[in-house]
Amino acid sequence: MRAEILRLLRQNAGGYVSGEDISKVLNVSRTAIWKHMQALKDEGYEISSHPRLGYCLQTVPDLLLPNEICPRLTTDFIGHSIHYYTTVSSTNNEAKRLANEGCPEGTIVLAEEQKVGRGRLARGWFSPFAKGIWLSVVLRPKFPPQEAPKCTLLAAVAMARAVRATGVNCGIKWPNDILYNGKKLVGILTEMNAEMDAINYVVIGMGINVNTDASEFPEELRDIATSLSSVLGRTVSRTDLLIALLHELELLYTQAGEEGFSPILAEWRKLSATLGQPVDVFGITRCFSGIALDIDEDGALIVQTEAGLEKVIAGDVSVRAKSQEEK
Ligand code: BT5
């Protein structure tokens, strides 16, 4: 009902719509409309009312409100169910809870702020109020559990496309970062629940630093993190970016189901900031150095070391500045 009221107010942008007209079109009492207007004001919409003229939408809050997102979605299923929070512990935790309860594929969880935003391996993720997109998407892919890491690659390509459309020429660092000039703009955390031979669900968590000012990052992140607004020197609409991202994500996910992962891997390679670079690999059990050569069909990183080829399935990679000989 609130989305419908907003649609009517928007149709008359800058003008008034009478309570009587709204109540006729939506077939609800004027008291009910008054209550919805109060609720919208509580959400941060600025709506002026006039005893004779009715209601006029003045400003929309800078929040990722479902009422702002739903009417503009271009997807068939991703984002059609939105769970929106002002504050949450972690959108991934919430998405996993919903997925365990059987929520539909494509359900998304959004928060203005995360109190315990998570990276991989119990690391933290800085998620300040209304500055970024803190998003989790529930998918139920048909492919086998060992192929789940491909979801991270797919999400990274979708993210890179959406970020590049804002004008930021970002690259992907294996396995889960979107970087600009070596600084992290986006982190992706994919979590899975599966049986031996089938995936129950995958939750893709994405954190995008959109409008965080450089000075707002905690001291320890200042040299390694950046935001779209810092790069572009202007504020970026989080709603526009989110809608573009969900669109790209669904496009690639559908493509992966129909054609397999090859085209996505090919695009990942083109967008990669890791391939061809000298890297230090911090694996689960050991560390080594080499040149990042490629990613294989499963999304593992292939590194050329002095001892031969190494396949890295999980871990961290840092790109080293090239030494004189390597140059
Ligand atoms: C990641 O882990 O990069 C995955 C981050 C995923 C965050 C999203 S937000 C929505 C969803 N809900 C969650 O709770 N999480 C997901 P990793 O590669 O382990 O990197 C973590 C490291 O990045 C930290 O140890 C910090 O060094 C750094 N970091 C933390 N916050 C950051 C930020 N806002 N921007 C850039 N770097 C950050």
Side-chain angles (χ1 to χ4, degrees), residues 8 31 69 81 133 205 277:
L8 289 175
T31 319
I69 296 161
S81 168
I133 297 177
Q277 302 293 325

Side-chain angles (χ1 to χ4, degrees), residues 18 26 32 58-59 73 77 80 82 94 101 145 163 173 192 194 209 226 239 260 263 275 286 321:
S18 75
L26 301 180
Q58 302 286 358
T59 60
L73 279 177
F77 67 100
H80 284 225
I82 302 181
E94 206 44 37
E101 287 173 2
V163 166
K173 195 190 91 174
M192 174 176 70
N209 300 319
T226 189
T239 308
L275 299 185
R286 63 200 189 91

Side-chain angles (χ1 to χ4, degrees), residues 281 286 288-293 301-312:
V281 178
R286 63 200 189 91
F288 56 90
S289 301
I291 305 286
L293 278 192
L301 186 70
I302 309 297
V303 180
Q304 175 78 62
T305 69
E306 279 176 7
L309 290 183
E310 292 272 358
K311 178 170 165 166
V312 191

